[in-house]
Amino acid sequence: MTALGPRDVDVAPTDISAEPPPSSEPQPSPEGVLGKRHRALSIGIVSVVLLIAFEATAVGTAMPVAARELHGIPLYAFAFSAYFTTSLFAMVLSGQWADRRGPLAPLTTGIAAFAVGLLLSGTAGTMMLFILGRAVQGLGGGLVIVALYVVISRAYPERLRPAILAAFAASWVVPSVVGPLASGAITESLGWRWVFVGIPALVVFPLALALPAIRRMAGGPADPDAPVPPFDGKQIRLALGISLGAGLLQYAGQDLRWLSLLPAAVGAALLVPAVLGLLPKGTYRAARGLPSVVLLRGVAAGSFIAAESFVPLMLVTERGLSPTMAGLSLAVGGGTWAFGSFVQSRPRMEPYRERLVSFGMVLVAAAIAVVPTVLIPSVPVWVVAVAWGFGCFGMGMVIASTSVLLLKLSAPEEAGTNSAALQISDGLSNVMLLAIGGAVFAALGGGTVAAHSTGVGAGGGSHPAAFAAVFLPMAGVALVGAWVATRLREREA
């Protein structure tokens, strides 16, 4: 079924003879996302995404220094996966909350939790407290991202959805350039903590701008006259299972002892039935249509994020770059990601969406495979920036297209649940692939990288194989995504 937004056409008259003759005057073109009807809403929700973008780019730049100062390099992957682990539960909760009561409450709660998590991490005295803050951030992020998809489904007609999703991608351009530069400068001059405690100040503007527009255009349930069903307790329990299972598997992967087989087994026992219950039937086997859309989102996001999380650490420890320069090496990706999303939003590209997605995944795989070549001293570090630019262009086409396809295949009353499934696939893949990558990284000695190097930008790495063992398998996962992209279209009856 196709999700329908607000209708922009009138019902055709039944008496054809009564229709007025065609007018010779030029007709006004349909309004876009910045038209009078959608302007405030578009600016507001794009501002929310802008906040998330600043957080991701700034925090990613400061993370290697934070982990080193808190003596937490062996737990480095946890700082990223904790966010995704807790967000898995929040996504399911947000989907049910938004379908039943509207997206306003989960969005507001999510932004508040996001800010609290940043403050907790910024004031942490140990790596475990830092990770706890990241977990609280994940709760907020999970609530926010699903609620935003429900807003798009209810407030925008189908023809405008590719454009607003392209605007989401475009909102990453400035943070991708300014975020690493500002974060690196603050980290080097004032300390990494100011990066975390300063970002919550950005919460005020999105709240003031977005919430009134959301309340007006998408604040309530999809059908105000229908009785509001209770929360699905089974789905909530499955969501807890998927979060706990993912967390236990992540712990087992980092512990690397025989005793860790026990939490790994418990984690798998919780995770497998939860995944089967929360994702569309046939997702694990790439069934055509919605299941493959959901699967592709996880394959694309997981392989990309797992690789990207280790890029700044590799450049700081293996090539001696400062945090600022390491962050800026990824900055070009913000612009190319936005351009890729813009390309998929063009109406003339709609018939070729599946081909665009397949091509995008090939670019992602190639970019991830090229990045570890800078472990060879003779390879210039700017190769990372070039490769990541092409990879981000591919991701811009893939991520926006999976969102468009999901909303197209979802009825209005299913938008929250299906959006949660999409984000669960995204977040779970991030957690699992980060867990695998982190375990391999630690097993090959990566946990001792820069352990004795305390200066900012000091190269202390002596385990290039640990980094290569993260990047190359992720390139293979991305190639699998190119095949999944051939199964996005449902079979015609």
Side-chain angles (χ1 to χ4, degrees):
M1 298 180 67
T2 301
L4 299 177
R7 298 176 182 270
D8 297 321
V9 296
D10 296 327
V11 177
T14 55
D15 184 1
I16 298 178
S17 63
E19 291 184 4
S23 173
S24 59
E25 295 295 325
Q27 299 298 313
S29 59
E31 287 191 346
V33 295
L34 291 179
K36 182 178 180 181
R37 175 177 173 79
H38 295 95
R39 185 181 301 124
L41 178 62
S42 297
I43 294 174
I45 62 176
V46 168
S47 297
V48 173
V49 177
L50 192 69
L51 165 67
I52 296 173
F54 266 112
E55 181 274 338
T57 55
V59 168
T61 302
M63 196 77 77
V65 179
R68 180 187 296 157
E69 185 175 310
L70 295 173
H71 307 290
I73 290 292
L75 300 176
Y76 184 77
F78 273 121
F80 291 95
S81 63
Y83 179 101
F84 298 119
T85 300
T86 55
S87 69
L88 293 172
F89 171 74
M91 289 167 187
V92 177
L93 178 62
S94 183
Q96 293 204 25
W97 197 351
D99 280 344
R100 286 157 176 77
R101 301 289 183 181
L104 185 62
L107 183 64
T108 306
T109 305
I111 292 177
F114 195 79
V116 170
L118 282 166
L119 292 175
L120 285 174
S121 290
T123 56
T126 66
M127 191 63 177
M128 291 308 296
L129 289 177
F130 181 87
I131 292 170
L132 175 62
R134 292 286 291 167
V136 174
Q137 240 187 292
L139 288 172
L143 291 172
V144 168
I145 191 64
V146 173
L148 285 177
Y149 274 83
V150 177
V151 170
I152 294 173
S153 173
R154 295 187 182 178
Y156 292 86
E158 186 175 328
R159 64 178 177 82
L160 292 182
R161 290 172 192 163
I164 190 62
L165 290 168
F168 279 9
S171 67
W172 282 75
V173 175
V174 173
S176 294
V177 177
V178 177
L181 181 62
S183 175
I186 293 171
T187 298
E188 294 174 26
S189 59
L190 300 177
W192 63 267
R193 296 182 185 276
W194 287 97
V195 175
F196 288 82
V197 300
I199 292 176
L202 301 174
V203 169
V204 178
F205 178 72
L207 280 176
L209 196 60
L211 298 188
I214 294 173
R215 183 181 294 110
R216 184 176 66 256
M217 299 184 68
D223 186 355
D225 298 326
V228 179
F231 281 83
D232 188 334
K234 180 181 178 181
Q235 295 288 303
I236 298 297
R237 289 191 296 272
L238 290 175
L240 283 172
I242 203 171
S243 293
L244 290 174
L248 287 170
L249 286 174
Q250 171 75 5
Y251 170 78
Q254 291 290 303
D255 195 33
L256 297 178
R257 293 183 299 170
W258 285 108
L259 288 177
S260 66
L261 291 176
L262 179 59
V266 175
L270 289 171
L271 192 63
V272 172
V275 170
L276 294 177
L278 291 173
L279 299 185
K281 185 178 180 181
T283 298
Y284 72 94
R285 57 182 174 84
R288 288 189 174 274
L290 183 63
S292 284
V293 172
V294 172
L295 177 61
L296 177 62
R297 180 59 164 263
V299 170
S303 59
F304 185 84
I305 294 297
E308 185 179 54
S309 298
F310 284 87
V311 171
L313 185 65
M314 178 183 67
L315 294 177
V316 169
T317 60
E318 297 292 327
R319 296 300 298 262
L321 268 65
S322 68
T324 303
M325 294 306 299
L328 283 176
S329 67
L330 304 179
V332 68
T336 57
W337 188 308
F339 182 60
S341 188
F342 171 80
V343 168
Q344 67 79 37
S345 73
R346 299 298 86 195
R348 70 183 65 177
M349 293 297 180
E350 185 60 34
Y352 311 105
R353 186 170 297 279
E354 287 76 13
R355 294 181 185 178
L356 284 176
V357 173
S358 293
F359 177 62
M361 288 308 303
V362 171
L363 288 178
V364 172
I368 297 174
V370 167
V371 163
T373 61
V374 300
L375 292 167
I376 302 171
S378 60
V379 176
V381 293
W382 54 257
V383 168
V384 171
V386 175
W388 219 243
F390 280 102
C392 286
F393 175 73
M395 284 294 287
M397 293 190 291
V398 172
I399 296 300
S401 290
T402 55
S403 301
V404 170
L405 289 168
L406 177 108
L407 295 177
K408 184 177 182 179
L409 295 169
S410 301
E413 66 275 9
E414 298 172 344
T417 299
N418 289 345
S419 295
L422 187 77
Q423 298 302 323
I424 286 170
S425 179
D426 187 319
L428 180 61
S429 180
N430 288 336
V431 171
M432 298 307 297
L433 291 180
L434 272 170
I436 294 170
V440 174
F441 183 73
L444 294 177
T448 62
V449 168
H452 304 292
S453 176
T454 56
V456 173
S462 58
H463 300 279
F467 287 102
V470 172
F471 291 112
L472 297 181
M474 298 308 157
V477 173
L479 278 179
V480 173
W483 170 77
V484 176
T486 65
R487 302 179 60 80
L488 302 180
R489 189 184 299 274
E490 293 180 320
R491 291 188 183 277
E492 297 182 0

